Amino acid sequence: MNRIVVANWKMNPQSQKEAEVLFKESYSLAKNIKNTKIILCPPFPFLFVSKKFKNKNISLGSQNVSTKTEGSYTGEVSPKMLKDMGVSYTIVGHGESRRLGETNEIINQKILNLLKYKLTPILCVGESVRDANGSFLLLVEEQIKKSLIGVSGAQMKNIIVAYEPIWAIGKNATREATKEEFMEMKIFIKKVVSDIYTPKIAHSIIIIYGGSVNPLNTRSFIQDGGADGLLVGRDSINPKKFGAVLSALN
Ligand code: 13P
């Protein structure tokens, strides 16, 4: 089975020169990796840099998209522009974007806009705190339901769901999720998708894990936690560590 590894470079690096090096290293790491689709998501200004490189295991992703299609929207980037740059995937609903004001309604509009142009949304969901009563599950359910309004069952098959608990993301992470926590959430996400669509669609969707993924925990999320892939932040901009994450999958 093909696994997915999404490299979210976030707001890094700071120059085209460094982006070129990062692309070059990532492409070279991917050479010997089998049964894995790697999706590199650089910041917008560096998307074009990837045109210099080719590898059928690597696809290009973006970290955002507009809710609008074209026209007078200062600062916005349309799905068509992304497609023209060779982008096939787009991250939406990331915890860091939600913190800056991206609501479930905005995420929903972005998803519909992406699907219209046959781009694959990577929908991030996840709670900022886990409470003993399990209210965080209701929050994740709401994130999924509101983000998918107007998305057909056929379109749902083209959406990747990433469970990224906010408490596990970035330098200030309290800890990574356990494989059991991921497994439970995977079942819960499938249940929510099954309620909206059908058990068959829920069975077929791709669910990946993100939050402090590193070479040491990669294998456990995939093999024991049943993740279909990983969303990697910090370790995706460190070629040595990213290489080790990819090798751990083989
Ligand atoms: P880290 O891997 O740095 O915790 O970031 C995770 C993430 O936010 C990926 O989208």
Side-chain angles (χ1 to χ4, degrees):
M1 191 195 77
N2 265 3
R3 283 90 165 241
I4 292 172
V5 176
V6 184
N8 179 6
W9 292 3
K10 306 193 178 181
M11 203 164 68
N12 302 293
Q14 295 304 311
S15 69
Q16 180 183 332
K17 211 167 171 186
E18 289 167 289
E20 268 179 31
V21 173
L22 208 42
F23 270 117
K24 198 168 168 204
E25 303 243 21
S26 304
Y27 271 78
S28 128
L29 291 169
K31 258 190 218 140
N32 302 318
I33 305 298
K34 298 207 166 55
N35 305 323
T36 304
K37 168 160 274 311
I38 301 164
I39 303 166
L40 300 180
C41 304
F44 285 143
F46 303 138
L47 285 170
F48 81 98
V49 179
S50 78
K51 292 202 179 221
K52 290 189 175 175
F53 305 96
K54 275 219 166 13
N55 180 318
K56 63 175 172 23
N57 295 328
I58 295 194
S59 299
L60 194 60
S62 69
Q63 298 173 24
N64 202 357
V65 66
S66 180
T67 56
K68 308 293 182 194
T69 310
E70 66 175 291
S72 308
Y73 299 104
T74 304
E76 297 294 295
V77 174
S78 74
K80 243 180 171 170
M81 292 172 188
L82 294 175
K83 235 181 153 175
D84 190 53
M85 278 288 129
V87 167
S88 317
Y89 298 83
T90 297
I91 297 172
V92 286
H94 193 281
E96 288 157 3
S97 312
R98 289 179 191 263
R99 202 165 53 215
L100 293 178
E102 196 180 46
T103 61
N104 287 324
E105 290 68 28
I106 294 173
I107 293 161
N108 178 234
Q109 288 170 30
K110 289 183 178 178
I111 288 179
L112 294 173
N113 209 13
L114 289 167
L115 291 170
K116 198 151 75 184
Y117 292 93
K118 307 256 179 303
L119 288 158
T120 300
I122 301 172
L123 167 63
C124 301
V125 295
E127 75 285 358
S128 44
V129 275
R130 276 199 167 217
D131 59 304
N133 297 327
S135 316
F136 66 94
L137 292 170
L138 297 177
L139 181 121
V140 171
E141 180 172 14
E142 188 184 12
Q143 288 176 336
I144 298 172
K145 287 193 168 159
K146 289 195 169 163
S147 304
L148 296 178
I149 291 171
V151 174
S152 72
Q155 287 175 319
M156 188 57 211
K157 290 182 194 151
N158 292 323
I159 295 182
I160 296 172
V161 180
Y163 173 53
E164 274 216 326
I166 290 167
W167 45 264
I169 294 175
K171 277 206 295 283
N172 298 325
T174 42
R175 60 176 177 87
E176 67 212 31
T178 64
K179 56 183 191 298
E180 290 81 10
E181 284 167 337
F182 174 77
M183 217 186 294
E184 281 164 17
M185 191 53 87
K186 180 177 159 173
I187 294 167
F188 181 72
I189 291 170
K190 281 188 186 273
K191 154 95 177 66
V192 174
V193 172
S194 175
D195 288 347
I196 310 173
Y197 301 99
T198 62
K200 198 171 162 203
I201 290 172
H203 181 70
S204 71
I205 60 161
I206 294 170
I207 304 178
I208 64 177
Y209 170 77
S212 299
V213 170
N214 61 53
L216 298 177
N217 61 24
T218 290
R219 198 184 288 268
S220 115
F221 281 115
I222 299 285
Q223 288 190 343
D224 311 327
D228 298 315
L230 300 164
L231 181 44
V232 191
R234 278 159 294 165
D235 282 8
S236 73
I237 52 170
N238 176 327
K240 207 165 152 202
K241 290 192 176 166
F242 193 52
V245 165
L246 295 175
S247 306
L249 289 170
N250 265 9

